Amino acid sequence: MTITENKTSNSIELVIGGRLDTGTAPELEAKLKQIPKDTQTLYLNLSNIQYISSAGLRVVLLAHKLMLPTGGKMIIRQPSAFCKQVLEATGMDSILTVE
């Protein structure tokens, strides 16, 4: 898995590529916990995700939950076709903001 970070004054975009599964989810979780508390918007760009497991979905949901206490928001950007299928099948597309 690869994670590329793009920052602006009030937002962070994490561009994630490869497989987001049991083996790689802890890496993304650690990265999410380093996001500054004053971040208003966190974008997870999932356009390059080839596979996402339940462990990956858990970390995506964690990203959403981490942003709530500070009044921030998490937005999923450009999910790959596979990611989009998984988000729809699990109903997470109705809970999370997906662009």
Side-chain angles (χ1 to χ4, degrees):
M1 177 180 70
T2 60
I3 302 173
T4 305
E5 184 176 320
N6 302 314
K7 288 184 180 183
T8 66
S9 59
N10 60 0
S11 70
I12 294 177
E13 178 183 38
L14 297 180
V15 181
I16 305 160
R19 296 175 58 91
L20 184 50
D21 55 22
T22 305
T24 58
E27 182 182 346
L28 178 57
E29 184 172 344
K31 185 75 171 170
L32 291 171
K33 289 181 177 178
Q34 296 173 358
I35 301 282
K37 300 290 183 212
D38 63 344
T39 302
Q40 294 175 5
T41 307
L42 170 63
Y43 296 98
L44 292 185
N45 184 320
L46 304 180
S47 60
N48 297 319
I49 290 290
Q50 300 160 350
Y51 175 79
I52 187 167
S53 71
S54 59
L57 289 174
R58 182 190 63 76
V59 176
V60 169
L61 193 56
L62 173 68
H64 173 71
K65 289 180 179 180
L66 287 173
M67 295 303 293
L68 293 177
T70 61
K73 60 185 172 182
M74 189 274 298
I75 298 172
I76 295 174
R77 275 196 172 153
Q78 305 169 337
S80 66
F82 183 80
C83 257
K84 195 169 186 174
Q85 271 186 331
V86 171
L87 291 170
E88 290 171 357
T90 59
M92 286 182 69
D93 63 329
S94 63
I95 298 168
L96 306 173
T97 304
V98 181
E99 291 182 341

